[in-house]
Amino acid sequence: MDNRPIGVFDSGLGGLTTVKELRRLLPNEKIIYFGDTGRVPYGSRSRETIAKYARQDIGLLLSFDVKMIVCACGTVSSVLGDGSGENLPVPFVGVLIPAAQAACALSLGSKIGVIGTTATIRSGEFGRIIRSIRPDARVFGNACPLLVPIVENGLLSKDNPIAAEAVRMYLEPLKNENIDTLVLGCTHYPLLYDVINAYLDYEVTLIDAGHEAARWVRSSLVSGDMLCDPQQTGDCQFYVSDTIDGFVQVAELFLGDTISQQVHRVDVDTL
């Protein structure tokens, strides 16, 4: 067994969807979460800047002696590709491969949509991985740059006109292609699950990339004999690079839990 914590990072709040699923699947594990709220969003940055930020985020988590690192950020996962975890002293997983595998397994008609940040869609990595698993797949991608700030500002209800209009604008081209499966390629997007599902008339299978990554983590810990002591009390500590108050307010909404005493601010630029 391994009682060290699991490290999770994201550009902001979206990775909390992965944390929530990890806490459900692995209630005894300790989790360290870093949300780079001072530099969100990553999706409009250059490849070089994203790589720099990712190295700093990973360095912060390694300083807590974590046993695994989860990149709960579709942008970092897609821009850096499969080699993101090379030369790290602990196992590393992003969200691309787990989500792509789920999409390929669940798609009935092989018409798969992918939504993500501008950097994610520009990289083409989701399409490449999906087609490597399922060569018959037709992949339709669309960048959705407004969805991250919409989520970060808590505009999550399917009755919210701003969220509903943004989802309609971005998903209309994919809906017109008659996709049967949609990968939510940014971990912020599951917070708009109800809005997206309603626009697609509840007829499209939605793949939550963060949830699929969490399931991969559980499987990996089991196979690697790295689960914690079953008597251990699980907990989660949160670190952010901007103000704590703004993070706490929205994070508690996402997680359905009180976390104010578990949030700390760090200066990631010093790493």
Side-chain angles (χ1 to χ4, degrees):
M1 65 183 64
D2 191 333
N3 289 334
R4 291 179 297 167
I6 300 166
V8 183
F9 77 92
D10 181 52
S11 61
L13 290 156
L16 294 173
T17 58
T18 303
V19 170
K20 185 175 183 178
E21 184 70 358
L22 283 172
R23 292 170 80 180
R24 186 184 72 82
L25 295 173
L26 301 165
N28 300 110
E29 296 286 348
K30 296 184 182 296
I31 299 171
I32 302 291
Y33 178 80
F34 174 61
D36 196 3
T37 52
R39 303 187 296 198
V40 67
Y42 283 12
S44 58
R45 312 283 187 175
S46 69
R47 183 184 182 90
E48 292 74 21
T49 298
I50 293 167
K52 172 187 173 183
Y53 289 176
R55 286 194 298 269
Q56 292 174 327
D57 300 345
I58 291 168
L60 174 66
L61 291 178
L62 288 174
S63 73
F64 290 102
D65 190 29
V66 296
K67 62 182 175 183
M68 176 179 287
I69 292 178
V70 183
C71 173
C73 179
T75 297
V76 172
S77 300
S78 61
V79 168
L80 299 189
D82 296 339
S84 304
E86 290 180 1
N87 302 317
L88 292 182
V90 296
F92 177 97
V93 64
V95 298
L96 266 71
I97 292 177
Q101 289 175 335
C104 290
L106 294 174
S107 175
L108 298 177
S110 73
K111 298 183 78 171
I112 300 172
V114 178
I115 55 174
T117 65
T118 300
T120 294
I121 299 302
R122 185 172 56 224
S123 75
E125 281 295 293
F126 264 116
R128 182 186 67 79
I129 294 171
I130 289 170
R131 285 187 289 269
S132 73
I133 299 169
R134 187 167 170 174
D136 68 318
R138 296 181 62 193
V139 183
F140 305 90
N142 205 15
C144 308
L146 292 179
L147 294 191
V148 168
I150 284 173
V151 170
E152 297 274 347
N153 283 280
L155 307 178
L156 308 177
S157 169
K158 66 180 180 181
D159 298 320
N160 184 283
I162 296 174
E165 176 58 22
V167 165
R168 183 206 63 76
M169 177 177 66
Y170 290 134
L171 292 188
E172 185 174 27
L174 305 186
K175 188 176 183 179
N176 290 340
E177 294 290 349
N178 296 313
I179 59 170
D180 63 80
T181 305
L182 178 66
V183 177
L184 308 182
C186 171
T187 50
H188 284 71
Y189 297 173
L191 277 300
L192 293 169
Y193 190 99
D194 290 343
V195 187
I196 293 169
N197 212 7
Y199 176 71
L200 295 173
D201 303 317
Y202 306 95
E203 295 177 348
V204 174
T205 300
L206 303 185
I207 304 298
D208 182 330
H211 279 207
E212 297 304 327
R215 295 184 184 109
W216 186 96
V217 169
R218 180 180 61 176
S219 176
S220 180
L221 291 180
V222 169
S223 64
D225 196 23
M226 295 173 64
L227 289 171
C228 69
D229 185 333
Q231 302 303 314
Q232 177 173 273
T233 300
D235 66 35
C236 192
Q237 295 294 316
F238 302 88
Y239 293 83
V240 295
S241 55
D242 203 356
T243 59
I244 290 175
D245 291 345
F247 174 84
V248 168
Q249 183 178 4
V250 182
E252 290 184 343
L253 177 64
F254 290 4
L255 295 171
D257 197 5
T258 301
I259 64 166
S260 58
Q261 300 303 312
Q262 302 159 264
V263 184
H264 317 276
R265 189 177 187 276
V266 294
D267 185 359
V268 73
D269 285 320
T270 63
L271 298 174

